[in-house]
Amino acid sequence: VQKLLAPALAMPEAPRLRCVEDETDRLLASLATHDLDLILTDRPLDSQVRLKAFSHLLAESGVAIYAPPALARRLKGPFPECLQEAPWLLPTPGTALRRGLDQWMATHGLRPRIVGEFSDSALLKAFGQAGAGIFAAPEATGSEVIRQYHVKRLGRAEGVQERIYAVNVERRLRHPAVQALREAAKAWDFA
């Protein structure tokens, strides 16, 4: 998210950012009252939402599986079978990434040993770096994940996608800062 927002801060008349992490319903309420101008989320708006708002796909990436080196060395066999009963750090239930990972694991007959569930992806990766378990992250950020968290890429979770949507009250993304976000996603090979 920081990479996506960075171009907006580099603009001559940069907007002031206020980054809030909260439940979608509360964020939508803030959008409705114009306390927020934009929401970044992992899924488009549900058709049941009564707010006149629009979802715009900004970025999409495949997902890879990472592990701290000591744990990676203990895994035996080919990927993804080597992940059977390995310790996992997962996003909290209900997130789009978690649903995708659960489905991928079920397809491959994997029974994860879940040691932690996180709503904060940076905290999840920090636990991974500390050796607590395997985790998933977007392939678009793979080189940064490896460098920053000192982990190894084990393989790709085929069919699992991480998406970032911009939700606002405009049918089109007109604001220059939001357009800069969209261009950053394209230039970053995320979209």
Side-chain angles (χ1 to χ4, degrees):
V1 171
Q2 184 276 329
K3 280 229 183 240
L4 289 174
L5 294 175
L9 290 176
M11 297 176 67
E13 292 186 34
R16 185 179 82 200
L17 293 181
R18 182 173 66 129
C19 298
V20 179
E21 190 172 344
D22 206 341
E23 295 293 322
T24 302
D25 291 344
R26 287 195 284 259
L27 293 172
L28 289 171
S30 294
L31 188 67
T33 60
H34 301 285
D35 289 335
L36 294 177
D37 296 316
L38 183 75
I39 298 171
L40 296 178
T41 182
D42 65 350
R43 59 185 169 265
L45 284 179
D46 187 316
S47 61
Q48 304 298 322
V49 172
R50 295 179 185 234
L51 173 65
K52 186 176 178 183
F54 303 92
S55 301
H56 309 275
L57 179 63
L58 284 182
E60 184 173 26
S61 173
V63 171
I65 308 300
Y66 301 88
L71 176 55
R73 284 190 295 274
R74 292 194 316 257
L75 300 173
K76 303 295 181 219
F79 182 85
E81 291 83 8
C82 65
L83 305 177
Q84 190 66 268
E85 297 185 21
W88 276 83
L89 305 168
L90 291 170
T92 52
T95 62
L97 180 56
R98 175 63 179 269
R99 283 191 302 276
L101 288 170
D102 286 347
Q103 183 176 7
W104 178 77
M105 285 185 241
T107 298
H108 290 283
L110 298 175
R111 292 177 305 283
R113 183 168 51 91
I114 301 170
V115 296
E117 296 175 308
F118 300 82
S119 60
D120 182 314
S121 65
L123 184 59
L124 181 149
K125 292 175 191 123
F127 270 79
Q129 178 182 16
I134 295 164
F135 63 90
E139 287 183 301
T141 61
S143 59
E144 293 171 38
V145 169
I146 290 167
R147 181 179 39 78
Q148 183 174 349
Y149 296 99
H150 310 287
V151 293
K152 291 182 154 291
R153 183 184 186 276
L154 300 176
R156 186 171 204 260
E158 291 293 334
V160 181
Q161 295 288 309
E162 176 83 294
R163 293 178 178 93
I164 299 175
Y165 291 87
V167 176
N168 68 354
V169 294
E170 297 177 345
R171 187 172 298 277
R172 290 189 174 159
L173 296 176
R174 293 186 184 139
H175 193 282
V178 178
Q179 289 176 348
L181 260 129
R182 176 178 266 171
E183 292 308 310
K186 288 179 186 174
W188 190 32
D189 277 341
F190 208 117

